[in-house]
Amino acid sequence: DGGITQSPKYLFRKEGQNVTLSCEQNLNHDAMYWYRQDPGQGLRLIYYSQIVNDFQKGDIAEGYSVSREKKESFPLTVTSAQKNPTAFYLCASKMDPTGNTIYFGEGSWLTVV
Amino acid sequence: GQNIDQPTEMTATEGAIVQINCTYQTSGFNGLFWYQQHAGEAPTFLSYNVLDGLEEKGRFSSFLSRSKGYSYLLLKELQMKDSASYLCAVRDEAGGSYIPTFGRGTSLIVHP
């Protein structure tokens, strides 16, 4: 089945550590996105990529980094510079940047311990 | 930038009708989306409006007025499973990014 796979579902990070969230899609979509959601809040855009080997900062990129070396993969690294990383992270994709329908992965919960 | 406003929380009775409003301000409007999100899960697509008027899809309908910067999601014959957060998202064509910006969401509680 086609879709977006995020892993891990749950992740615990110690302070000062970098962690990487995986996002893989087999939909052959050009555009991919990372959103952060805090309890009771909407989705805020961290980074997005409209084509392989290119990505742009979203509204809250500080403390995060991404890469887009392959069309199907868009991993997100939460660095130690992100002071409040505990949140629900959602990866999404669209066929192309102008497309209407955005598909979401199941999300990853990150908790700082 | 964009400013999207929707109520934080609403309650309704099973079998009733509820209307969730969304107002927005944007410079390059290119469509409005409604998503449903159950706690701890990914949002699921409900509707997309780009022209003024009402779009009906089963128990759910969505309305858009571009001149007023206003949309609503109408849920009929409410069921307990409709208890969820409803996210309004506006797409802006500024800069060619076509990325939707999400509101904070409206938490709907359906009680018996």
Side-chain angles (χ1 to χ4, degrees), chain B residues 10-49:
Chain B
M10 300 181 71
T11 59
T13 306
E14 191 175 16
I17 299 173
V18 71
Q19 177 175 311
I20 303 174
N21 296 326
C22 173
T23 58
Y24 65 89
Q25 294 174 318
T26 185
S27 55
F29 178 82
N30 192 258
L32 186 143
F33 302 81
W34 283 97
Y35 285 83
Q36 180 192 61
Q37 186 181 27
H38 286 97
E41 298 181 9
T44 55
F45 172 81
L46 291 177
S47 68
Y48 169 68
N49 295 68

Side-chain angles (χ1 to χ4, degrees), chain A residues 37 41-42 94 99-100 102 105, chain B residues 33 35 37 42 91 98 103-104:
Chain A
Q37 187 175 34
Q41 302 294 315
K94 284 199 294 182
N100 291 341
I102 190 167
Chain B
F33 302 81
Y35 285 83
Q37 186 181 27
R91 189 168 68 173
Y98 294 93
R104 290 173 175 264

Side-chain angles (χ1 to χ4, degrees), chain A residues 33-50:
Chain A
Y33 309 86
W34 273 106
Y35 289 93
R36 168 181 171 145
Q37 187 175 34
D38 293 280
Q41 302 294 315
L43 281 63
R44 291 185 291 169
L45 184 67
I46 305 172
Y47 267 98
Y48 65 98
S49 170
Q50 295 185 318

Side-chain angles (χ1 to χ4, degrees), chain A residues 1 19 29 46 48 54 59 61 65-66 72 77 82 89 92 99 102:
Chain A
D1 284 349
V19 293
H29 284 178
I46 305 172
Y48 65 98
D54 184 60
D59 300 320
S65 66
V66 294
E72 59 270 24
T77 297
Q82 172 50 241
Y89 290 86
I102 190 167

